[in-house]
Amino acid sequence: MGLTDWFSGKRKDAGDIDLPVELISIGGPPELAHLFIDIPAVDILRGLDGWRWVGLSGLTAIAVSAFGEVFFRDDVGAIHQIDTIEGKLSKVAASLPDLTATLQDADARDSLLLGGLVIGARNRGLLLEPGECYDFKLAPIIGGKMDVSDMEKLSFVVKLHIAGQLHEQVKDLPPGTPIGKVTILP
């Protein structure tokens, strides 16, 4: 089985992640429209397969940012986010209304959604097609720059899954450790 088969859903266990997906509107200012993307539930689950190691039980996927970062609601209503830059799952708000209020602030949108980079990419003509998200040509965790000139469009599933694999492989390394080899599994 090749990578194309895996990402097209022909993988035997492609749907074995047991996580509800209930995509909702985050609300907030009009500029949020370009900071979130619509992704089919099956693709969210495929992408999250690379992040099993962070512990996703008890979470419901509720939104996906334009950078392919998934937001979740837990059993008490708190909001969590997979950070594909830092490689972690973090609580970002006590509730959905708290997240919506936080995102009223441009600095918060930059911090949580990389809003300035999304706007910069759009201004350069990088407009997302269905199933795509933004990514960096070289992941920052392995030396890439977080700059608009180093951005590209990529399949959401590919980006999220590979980011999870990368972070799992480097999570126990001391900061500054040179990374000479990364293995991407099908």
Side-chain angles (χ1 to χ4, degrees):
M1 174 180 303
L3 216 65
T4 302
D5 291 336
W6 191 93
F7 286 113
S8 68
K10 296 178 184 171
R11 182 177 171 204
K12 291 179 184 164
D13 62 342
D16 70 349
I17 238 182
D18 186 22
L19 182 95
V21 176
E22 299 172 5
L23 298 182
I24 60 172
S25 173
I26 298 298
E31 48 274 17
L32 286 183
H34 299 298
L35 301 179
F36 288 95
I37 57 176
D38 291 321
I39 298 292
V42 67
D43 289 344
I44 292 171
L45 296 175
R46 285 188 189 118
L48 289 172
D49 186 61
W51 290 88
R52 293 172 180 262
W53 58 274
V54 298
L56 300 172
S57 65
L59 299 175
T60 299
I62 61 166
V64 179
S65 79
F67 262 91
E69 298 190 341
V70 181
F71 287 78
F72 303 90
R73 181 182 58 238
D74 68 20
D75 294 337
V76 297
I79 307 300
H80 304 261
Q81 174 190 21
I82 282 189
D83 182 334
T84 61
I85 305 297
E86 297 291 325
K88 62 184 179 179
L89 176 68
S90 301
K91 181 178 173 182
V92 295
S95 66
L96 183 58
D98 286 348
L99 177 63
T100 301
T102 297
L103 293 177
Q104 300 301 309
D105 179 69
D107 289 337
R109 289 191 297 273
D110 280 343
S111 175
L112 290 174
L113 303 172
L114 303 176
L117 289 170
V118 171
I119 291 167
R122 291 178 60 79
N123 289 341
R124 286 186 52 233
L126 282 175
L127 304 178
L128 297 176
E129 298 292 328
E132 293 180 331
C133 67
Y134 294 113
D135 199 8
F136 298 102
K137 294 175 184 172
L138 181 63
I141 191 71
I142 55 175
K145 297 178 188 171
M146 290 181 57
D147 187 82
V148 173
S149 64
D150 289 322
M151 288 175 58
E152 63 184 355
K153 302 185 306 177
L154 192 63
S155 158
F156 163 79
V157 176
V158 172
K159 183 263 172 77
L160 185 61
H161 200 283
I162 288 176
Q165 288 186 51
L166 284 173
H167 284 290
E168 183 179 22
Q169 291 177 54
V170 302
K171 67 181 172 51
D172 297 324
L173 297 176
T177 301
I179 298 172
K181 179 182 175 185
V182 175
T183 303
I184 303 299
L185 302 173

